Amino acid sequence: MGSTERKYELCGPFLPRRHPSLKTSAEIVGEARRILRAQSTQRPHTPRDAHRQLFARSSVRADHGSRPSSTFSLHATNFDIGDSRPSSGARLSPLEHKTKIQFLGNDDISKSSPKPPADSLETRRSLVRTRARLLRATPLTTLPPLAAQTDASQERSHQDPTKKLPSAQAFVSGDHKEAFGAPYFCAPRRSQTESRLSQSSVDAGIGSDEVRAGQRTDLGGSGKNNTSSGADPRWDTIAPLLQQLKAAAAAGDSCEASLDHLCDLCVALHDALEEAAMLGPHRCKRRSSILRTLFQLIDLNCPRLHMHVAELCLALHVGGTNLLNICKLIFQVSRSEANDVLFQNNSVLDSLLELLLREDATTCGEALFYGAGTLKFLSGNAAVVHLLMEKNFISTAHNFIRKLCRVDEPHVTIAGHILVQLTATLRNLADHTEARPFFVSHSLMSDLCLVLQRYHQDQDVCTNVSRIYSKLSSYAECCLALAQTPDCYQLFLEHLSKHHQKPDLVVRLLFTLGNLTAKNNEARQQLFRCEASVDALLRLYDDYQLREEEPPPTPPPASRREAEDVLVKLVRVLANMCIHEDVGAALASNTTCVQLLMETLELRSVEESEELTVNVAAAINNLTFYRKESAVLRRSQMAIARLMLKLVLSSNMAAMLEATRVYGNLSQSKDVRDFIMLNKVHRFVVTLLDSKNPDVCFSACGVLTNLALDPSNRASLFLEGAATK
């Protein structure tokens, strides 16, 4: 290379390294920081309930008398046959009984109505028979057109002006025939009671000869009898189906063939109503007759038939007591896993999801509760979960959760019951790969934070939400969405303090915080900056330390195994937070934090608490990186060195590795180096060089490098074969 080229090279903006084997200061610091490692742990296990039930045994509602019952009996008599209104309609007040009689062609006739007869059973039966006889004798289709009647009346009046129309009493008694020249009867408007009685008479067989004669009885219970020519042609298919269902239900035959026939009839009825556009609200005026027939099928013990009945009733938008009982019926069917297949080939799931969107907890909360309970049971079936995802269940849950978070105080209790079921359903869906992206795209991660805020007093709801978060936060996309939710860290800390004696809730929130802080440096800082965050975590640590020399608190926060699981997750959070430079330095200077970690190692052995002791050693390793900034660690370094000796002498390789890493930090101190040589720890460290694990060799080399700083130690290391290895 010429002098000109050498001069240009030295004057260049980037100077070459004269000794490539030597590392820069930045590389040395970066390599040193690699010993700060995020800790991992197993997700808390949620045992599956052996039996499908609304609330688990651990639920605070398990023995609560105000919660809806899981067991009940349903019969046809439980249903409101007279309630034929759609669920979204308003119940109308009954009209006053006013009989009106209209006469054609004469304005001078008295319009006073006769008083209705006494409402006795015999009188009502006589009334029905009289109407049937009159209508049979004079069908409405034989009446002349209205204009013709008027003209004929006027003509007779002009021909004989002295001739008067019959009186009202004569009209009712039937003595009006000769006045009009033709039989004519104008029935007064009937009350609702009379309409129901008339329909009951028809159902009992009264007037069956009219049907045989070619006339058709109206199916809607309206009390009007029409011939086929004046009837709705859409009912030509529906009427026979209802008659067959009535006959089969009355027979009460529960053999397999009869039940199959009833199921086929229900399918045919559903198809006929759908083809006639009579499903849905306000589309079918004859709902009461249809529902009366369907309710009679409830007493037959057949889940398959019950599903057909429920499908029809939900499609007709029943409301009130009937909606509640139908939801109970579906819930009963779903309690058996053998019936899950019954939900895969009908529209019941669609109707339940529509119910969540259409109805409100303030008006039909108990029906929504049993509907959500059904969805919870079914979400344990992978095939049903696939159907729910196809039907956009996550979006429905998102909208329904928003509604439940806005309920007013009097309805918070029933809304909480519903949320227990709904969040349990989401918890089951969180296990499925196909469902997880929808939790993010439909903002469920932030919605569940709203639930925690609104229902912070409800331990069951909060526990289910914590279970969802502990599952989803194990996946990068979901964890990132949660980390971007405002105030989620403060919210978690508040619940840890409020529910500190509920270990299944605490351990899952801590696991979620550990996932959030595992790979996100900003999350570590946000958690640390929350109000009194470190104090809250260390107070929780102290509660679950369960010191053997002290009596446990009353009531004890948890069993020993549960307490240890809480500490494993909590120590992991502290270890992850230490990776942030400012947070790590602050925790290393916190006397309580350092003392609690050391106390855990004193109280527990590797043999009985392997994961806990390893995590504690990892947390201490991260803290000792800031030894120079922490007077607390400098004062405690010899005590920590003695505690690490217990881990080094164990037969657990993970514990040995973490202890070696701690010695790598502490051996920068002359006192610690002397302790290592005095206790022959260096011999063990030299043998670690034979390991095939790069991390073990790297950690051992760090300790030996520091030990070699003292000339007096070099001969001992050489004799152990350190240089050769």
Side-chain angles (χ1 to χ4, degrees):
M1 182 183 294
S3 59
T4 304
E5 293 176 350
R6 185 180 296 107
K7 183 176 181 181
Y8 179 82
E9 179 186 10
L10 294 176
C11 294
F14 300 101
L15 296 177
R17 186 186 301 169
R18 293 187 179 276
H19 302 285
S21 60
L22 297 179
K23 296 181 179 180
T24 64
S25 299
E27 289 174 333
I28 294 173
V29 172
E31 189 175 84
R33 288 193 63 82
R34 291 193 197 108
I35 68 171
L36 300 177
R37 296 170 302 103
Q39 291 300 295
S40 62
T41 184
Q42 294 182 349
R43 182 172 59 82
H45 174 63
T46 302
R48 185 180 179 184
D49 293 334
H51 304 285
R52 292 186 172 185
Q53 49 192 1
L54 288 170
F55 302 104
R57 294 181 180 178
S58 59
S59 168
V60 295
R61 293 171 166 83
D63 300 321
H64 204 280
S66 63
R67 68 177 179 84
S69 175
S70 301
T71 57
F72 42 80
S73 59
L74 281 177
H75 303 284
T77 55
N78 297 124
F79 290 81
D80 183 6
I81 297 178
D83 181 16
S84 61
R85 68 185 181 89
S87 60
S88 59
R91 188 181 295 274
L92 301 178
S93 302
L95 297 176
E96 295 182 1
H97 182 91
K98 293 183 179 180
T99 304
K100 296 181 181 180
I101 301 176
Q102 181 180 1
F103 299 96
L104 301 176
N106 194 332
D107 295 335
D108 299 329
I109 192 69
S110 174
K111 297 182 180 180
S112 60
S113 302
K115 295 183 179 180
D119 194 15
S120 65
L121 180 60
E122 185 61 34
T123 303
R124 292 197 299 268
R125 290 177 177 172
S126 176
L127 178 64
V128 172
R129 287 194 296 268
T130 301
R131 287 199 183 107
R133 185 173 60 256
L134 288 173
L135 288 175
R136 184 165 59 250
T138 311
L140 295 179
T141 54
T142 63
L143 293 177
L146 179 61
Q149 298 174 21
T150 305
D151 294 341
S153 175
Q154 291 176 351
E155 182 180 352
R156 285 192 298 271
S157 177
H158 289 303
Q159 291 175 356
D160 189 3
T162 61
K163 188 173 182 178
K164 297 182 180 180
L165 290 174
S167 64
Q169 184 63 35
F171 182 86
V172 174
S173 63
D175 296 333
H176 59 287
K177 295 181 181 179
E178 62 177 332
F180 284 92
Y184 181 76
F185 176 75
C186 183
R189 182 185 298 272
R190 294 186 297 161
S191 67
Q192 295 178 0
T193 302
E194 292 175 286
S195 298
R196 288 195 296 270
L197 288 169
S198 177
Q199 179 62 40
S200 300
S201 303
V202 173
D203 292 342
I206 298 175
S208 58
D209 53 333
E210 290 88 342
V211 178
R212 289 191 296 269
Q215 296 176 331
R216 184 171 62 84
T217 303
D218 182 75
L219 297 172
S222 62
K224 298 178 181 179
N225 296 328
N226 302 321
T227 61
S228 298
S229 60
D232 189 340
R234 296 180 298 176
W235 284 88
D236 292 341
T237 304
I238 298 172
L241 294 174
L242 286 179
Q243 292 295 336
Q244 293 182 61
L245 281 172
K246 287 179 182 179
D253 190 356
S254 59
C255 68
E256 190 68 24
S258 298
L259 294 176
D260 289 343
H261 179 59
L262 283 172
C263 292
D264 293 340
L265 287 174
C266 288
V267 172
L269 178 60
H270 187 283
D271 293 343
L273 290 172
E274 185 176 24
E275 185 177 353
M278 291 183 177
L279 296 178
H282 309 294
R283 294 184 180 180
C284 181
K285 297 181 179 179
R286 297 176 169 93
R287 288 161 48 91
S288 60
S289 181
I290 299 174
L291 294 177
R292 180 185 296 108
T293 304
L294 294 176
F295 294 157
Q296 293 174 2
L297 305 177
I298 302 297
D299 290 334
L300 297 174
N301 185 20
C302 178
R304 187 158 51 94
L305 180 60
H306 290 171
M307 287 296 294
H308 287 298
V309 172
E311 183 179 20
L312 275 163
C313 290
L314 290 176
L316 289 168
H317 285 212
V318 295
T321 303
N322 291 339
L323 177 61
L324 171 59
N325 286 332
I326 287 297
C327 288
K328 283 185 174 182
L329 183 68
I330 298 172
F331 171 80
Q332 277 188 335
V333 175
S334 69
R335 295 198 69 174
S336 173
E337 292 186 32
N339 295 332
D340 287 357
V341 67
L342 300 179
F343 290 85
Q344 299 177 28
N345 298 307
N346 54 42
S347 62
V348 171
L349 285 179
D350 301 271
S351 296
L352 288 178
L353 297 184
E354 182 187 354
L355 194 66
L356 297 183
L357 291 175
R358 185 180 74 242
E359 302 295 347
D360 193 87
T362 59
T363 55
C364 57
E366 198 170 354
L368 292 173
F369 168 76
Y370 286 107
T374 299
L375 294 174
K376 180 186 75 170
F377 292 161
L378 296 175
S379 62
N381 185 301
V384 178
V385 168
H386 182 70
L387 287 176
L388 289 175
M389 298 310 304
E390 288 182 345
K391 299 175 188 302
N392 207 9
F393 170 75
I394 298 292
S395 175
T396 301
H398 160 74
N399 293 317
F400 191 50
I401 285 175
R402 292 293 180 96
K403 287 200 300 183
L404 292 177
C405 288
R406 294 193 297 266
V407 299
D408 49 9
E409 196 61 33
H411 301 96
V412 167
T413 300
I414 186 62
H417 294 333
I418 298 171
L419 270 173
V420 171
Q421 310 306 313
L422 185 62
T423 51
T425 306
L426 293 172
R427 177 197 66 199
N428 292 339
L429 264 62
D431 288 328
H432 295 266
T433 305
E434 62 178 318
R436 293 182 196 124
F438 293 95
F439 279 87
V440 177
S441 60
H442 289 90
S443 305
L444 258 296
M445 305 302 284
S446 58
D447 287 345
L448 294 173
C449 280
L450 295 177
V451 173
L452 288 180
Q453 289 177 340
R454 183 68 177 87
Y455 295 87
H456 58 90
Q457 301 284 3
D458 195 320
Q459 289 188 0
D460 291 338
V461 172
C462 295
T463 299
N464 278 350
V465 172
S466 71
R467 285 172 173 163
I468 298 171
Y469 279 147
S470 69
K471 291 183 177 185
L472 295 179
S473 62
S474 299
Y475 303 93
E477 185 179 5
C478 298
C479 190
L480 179 61
L482 179 58
Q484 295 173 347
T485 301
D487 302 326
C488 71
Y489 304 98
Q490 188 67 53
L491 186 63
F492 290 168
L493 290 171
E494 291 173 358
H495 279 72
L496 287 173
S497 298
K498 179 181 291 293
H499 304 293
H500 67 278
Q501 288 194 333
K502 190 167 176 54
D504 52 343
L505 169 59
V506 169
V507 73
R508 286 167 175 81
L509 288 180
L510 289 173
F511 179 77
T512 303
L513 286 175
N515 291 339
L516 289 170
T517 56
K519 298 180 180 180
N520 191 328
N521 212 35
E522 184 180 354
R524 297 162 189 151
Q525 188 177 41
Q526 287 187 26
L527 177 58
F528 176 74
R529 288 181 175 178
C530 289
E531 183 179 357
S533 60
V534 175
D535 291 340
L537 292 174
L538 296 181
R539 186 164 53 249
L540 197 64
Y541 196 147
D542 186 66
D543 289 342
Y544 281 85
Q545 189 73 283
L546 286 183
R547 301 168 182 86
E548 294 180 357
E549 66 275 7
E550 296 180 2
T554 304
S559 66
R560 183 179 181 86
R561 182 176 58 82
E562 290 175 325
E564 184 170 309
D565 201 19
V566 168
L567 289 183
V568 167
K569 273 58 177 181
L570 197 155
V571 169
R572 176 186 177 227
V573 174
L574 295 175
N576 291 350
M577 291 175 67
C578 289
I579 299 176
H580 190 282
E581 186 174 356
D582 296 336
V583 178
L587 290 176
S589 301
N590 189 304
T591 304
T592 304
C593 179
V594 175
Q595 288 180 346
L596 285 170
L597 292 169
M598 293 172 59
E599 185 182 29
T600 301
L601 291 180
E602 292 173 353
L603 295 174
R604 309 295 173 94
S605 66
V606 179
E607 291 73 22
E608 66 176 0
S609 306
E610 176 185 350
E611 187 177 11
L612 177 58
T613 52
V614 170
N615 276 14
V616 169
I620 292 176
N621 171 58
N622 288 359
L623 287 174
T624 53
F625 180 80
Y626 307 98
R627 184 184 61 84
K628 294 181 180 179
E629 293 90 350
S630 171
V632 176
L633 284 176
R634 289 197 299 271
R635 291 194 303 266
S636 306
Q637 62 184 5
M638 293 305 298
I640 294 175
R642 285 189 289 271
L643 290 171
M644 292 301 111
L645 185 59
K646 183 168 67 171
L647 273 63
V648 166
L649 297 178
S650 70
S651 58
N652 187 287
M653 181 54 68
M656 295 178 192
L657 177 58
E658 293 302 336
T660 304
R661 286 168 171 162
V662 174
Y663 278 136
N665 287 335
L666 295 181
S667 59
Q668 298 177 57
S669 166
K670 179 67 168 61
D671 293 338
V672 175
R673 292 197 297 269
D674 291 343
F675 173 84
I676 291 174
M677 298 303 295
L678 180 63
N679 289 276
K680 312 299 182 183
V681 177
H682 67 286
R683 294 181 178 178
F684 171 77
V685 175
V686 171
T687 62
L688 292 179
L689 295 175
D690 297 327
S691 174
K692 296 181 180 180
N693 187 333
D695 289 337
V696 174
C697 294
F698 183 83
S699 300
C701 287
V703 177
L704 296 174
T705 301
N706 290 341
L707 292 177
L709 290 175
D710 299 328
S712 58
N713 297 337
R714 295 170 188 169
S716 299
L717 296 176
F718 182 79
L719 291 175
E720 295 296 332
T724 304
K725 291 184 177 182

